[in-house]
Amino acid sequence: MPLMSDEITRDCNGNTLADGDSVTLIKDLKVKGSGGVTLKRGTLVKNIRLTHDADEIEANVAKVRGLVLRTEFVKKA
């Protein structure tokens, strides 16, 4: 879903994020509904997609597809 508002999506450091960017996790994250998968700090997430909410992005990682991440937990790679 394309970005519908005029808000700019930013990472934890204030860098602007765009569709297709790569980000790195800054904190270990337990993924709800995935059977106990934990994404470790430093994990590279490639080819993100922006959502209608400027505080969230969508991504696919090796173990989880269609993952929604809060921008406060990622930094631009």
Side-chain angles (χ1 to χ4, degrees), residues 15 19 21 36 73:
N15 298 318
D19 280 333
D21 282 349
F73 300 122

Side-chain angles (χ1 to χ4, degrees), residues 31-38 64:
V31 182
K32 293 181 180 179
S34 66
V37 172
T38 300
V64 184

Side-chain angles (χ1 to χ4, degrees), residues 1-74:
M1 175 181 287
L3 188 63
M4 296 293 177
S5 68
D6 293 334
E7 294 181 43
I8 297 172
T9 302
R10 298 186 184 276
D11 69 359
C12 66
N13 295 326
N15 298 318
T16 303
L17 296 173
D19 280 333
D21 282 349
S22 294
V23 295
T24 304
L25 300 180
I26 62 166
K27 180 181 177 180
D28 289 356
L29 299 174
K30 293 181 182 178
V31 182
K32 293 181 180 179
S34 66
V37 172
T38 300
L39 299 175
K40 299 292 184 182
R41 184 181 72 191
T43 300
L44 181 66
V45 179
K46 297 179 181 178
N47 198 21
I48 64 166
R49 293 176 304 283
L50 302 182
T51 64
H52 63 283
D53 186 350
D55 294 328
E56 296 178 345
I57 57 172
E58 289 184 12
N60 292 329
V61 291
K63 297 178 182 177
V64 184
R65 299 287 178 221
L67 179 66
V68 176
L69 295 169
R70 300 279 303 169
T71 57
E72 64 196 79
F73 300 122
V74 299

